[in-house]
Amino acid sequence: MYRKVDWFKYLCFAYDMSVPNVAHLEPQRGGCCTVMPYFLPGGMLELPLTTIQDYSLFHILQDYSLAVWKQQIQLILDGHGLLSFTIHPDYVRPQRAQAVYKGLLDELNRLRSEQGVWVALPRDVDRWWRERSAMELVADRAGWRIAGPGSECARVAYARVEGERVVYEIAAPGCV
């Protein structure tokens, strides 16, 4: 995951997925410090890698459980962020690693069915984030609503501080 973000503006890609939110176990340290997509200069969308890579989990930490991934998943979901995984086919070939990967897929499927987590391809996240950036929050007689392309899938969220935490109340569901 060697990267030169300054070079991205010269590439003709809609999105990139090579910048981790944190990179303490990666060959190139440093990250973007967010679990949310963001636009880079030149219009490319960065979909940050928000979870530990399979190589780091299996070969550096020598952990063949779902514990780290589950902990990261919960933290990211609590912040309404993007769950992004990098899985290498050659690192999940051994049966022990395959079992962990299958467990991860089962967990993501459970989250999709029980909590309505959107499981999407990167191109779909790119399309949604671009539509989202063109939306506007507008007030009318009924209250607040979102206008713009794709707004039928958007939801208004209200935030309030409770003690030391920010708590979100999300209005009626949009598309899933």
Side-chain angles (χ1 to χ4, degrees):
M1 297 247 306
Y2 181 77
R3 62 204 173 279
K4 286 268 195 195
V5 178
D6 293 342
W7 295 358
F8 287 10
K9 62 186 168 203
Y10 301 109
L11 302 174
C12 296
F13 300 125
Y15 60 88
D16 172 73
M17 300 176 67
S18 68
V19 177
N21 65 328
V22 294
H24 61 279
L25 296 175
E26 304 302 328
Q28 183 181 354
R29 297 194 180 266
C32 61
C33 301
T34 184
V35 294
M36 302 301 284
Y38 58 93
F39 288 100
L40 296 164
M44 185 185 299
L45 181 68
E46 183 60 43
L47 304 175
L49 174 61
T50 58
T51 61
I52 190 168
Q53 288 192 64
D54 52 357
Y55 178 85
S56 300
L57 182 65
F58 300 147
H59 298 286
I60 295 175
L61 297 181
Q62 297 182 357
D63 186 345
Y64 285 84
S65 75
L66 286 175
V68 173
W69 273 331
K70 282 186 171 185
Q71 181 183 26
Q72 290 178 323
I73 288 168
Q74 193 56 57
L75 288 168
I76 294 165
L77 290 179
D78 287 348
H80 304 280
L82 173 73
L83 293 169
S84 176
F85 297 85
T86 297
I87 307 296
H88 301 87
D90 49 337
Y91 298 145
V92 294
R93 282 190 78 167
Q95 192 170 17
R96 194 162 96 166
Q98 255 184 43
V100 177
Y101 179 54
K102 288 177 184 177
L104 173 63
L105 294 177
D106 288 342
E107 177 67 9
L108 295 173
N109 189 47
R110 183 189 70 75
L111 291 168
R112 182 195 51 76
S113 62
E114 293 177 11
Q115 295 183 29
V117 170
W118 184 39
V119 177
L121 295 171
R123 69 173 179 235
D124 298 327
V125 176
D126 175 67
R127 184 185 67 246
W128 163 250
W129 209 256
R130 289 178 190 284
E131 287 178 349
R132 181 185 176 278
S133 72
M135 293 179 197
E136 294 180 320
L137 186 61
V138 296
D140 61 21
R141 290 183 178 151
W144 292 100
R145 66 179 177 81
I146 301 169
S151 61
E152 68 278 359
C153 293
R155 296 186 277 174
V156 174
Y158 300 92
R160 67 182 181 283
V161 177
E162 285 186 5
E164 298 291 319
R165 297 188 51 203
V166 175
V167 178
Y168 297 95
E169 178 185 331
I170 300 174
C175 299
V176 177

